[in-house]
Amino acid sequence: MSSQDEQFPAAAAAPEPAAAAAEEEGMTWWYRWLCRIAGVIGGMSCAFAGLWNCVTINPLNIAAGVWMMLNAFVLFLCEAPFCCQFIEFANAVSARADRLRAWQKAAFYCGMAVFPVMLSLTLTTLFGNAIAFATGVLYGLSALGKKGDAISYARIHQQQKQMDEEKLTGTLEGQA
């Protein structure tokens, strides 16, 4: 153990907040990495498409391009803080983003990706924000939870069928 671990044993034994939040929501490690990789690729697509969108004279295209580059920065900051290692507050923002629930990230990323498309509906904005929007969709799907197994669904269906039969026989006996 290092001297720092001896001074702060609780901090050394504490689990990573991102892993704890993901385990609470039932996200597997590979799905968490899929979401992060999609976020990084979405950030790159937003950055390149945003830069390309700024090379015009139409002010709405320029505004959409600037917003897309801002989206790229936020995606990099939240999903890959090592890309922003020279920004002092990058780790604090990333830790805060890791504590958000999956549906909150989904709403934030999807809303962030839709705004430039509403500003300027062009192929550049559509394709540039598609992967960022897909990142939000991935987080939204994880917020829905795991799919149930077939055995429990069959058991529930059997119970409902049995209750329906009991109701039907009860009404027939009541009429006779």
Side-chain angles (χ1 to χ4, degrees), residues 7-159:
Q7 291 175 352
F8 303 107
E16 183 182 341
E23 287 174 7
E24 270 182 26
E25 295 184 17
M27 274 176 94
T28 58
W29 65 271
W30 60 268
Y31 195 79
R32 190 172 350 128
W33 276 100
L34 176 70
C35 291
R36 286 198 181 267
I37 290 170
V40 171
I41 293 172
M44 288 189 300
S45 73
C46 275
F48 291 130
L51 186 64
W52 182 257
N53 219 13
C54 285
V55 183
T56 185
I57 57 171
N58 188 354
L60 285 178
N61 284 352
I62 294 171
V66 169
W67 189 269
M68 287 170 66
M69 288 190 283
L70 180 67
N71 287 353
F73 176 71
V74 169
L75 280 168
F76 285 139
L77 203 59
C78 293
E79 299 297 329
F82 62 86
C83 293
C84 307
Q85 63 184 351
F86 298 111
I87 299 174
E88 292 179 17
F89 58 88
N91 289 332
V93 171
S94 176
R96 173 77 173 124
D98 285 341
R99 286 193 303 264
L100 291 176
R101 295 184 172 252
W103 69 267
Q104 292 170 329
K105 280 186 176 183
F108 181 65
Y109 290 160
C110 287
M112 201 170 65
V114 165
F115 186 72
V117 175
M118 290 187 330
L119 220 68
S120 171
L121 183 61
T122 61
L123 286 176
T124 308
T125 55
L126 278 175
F127 290 138
N129 287 305
I131 302 174
F133 189 83
T135 303
V137 169
L138 286 173
Y139 276 113
L141 288 174
S142 73
L144 291 176
K146 290 183 179 179
K147 186 175 109 174
D149 59 339
I151 296 170
S152 63
Y153 280 124
R155 191 175 299 138
I156 291 170
H157 181 67
Q158 181 66 24
Q159 288 172 351

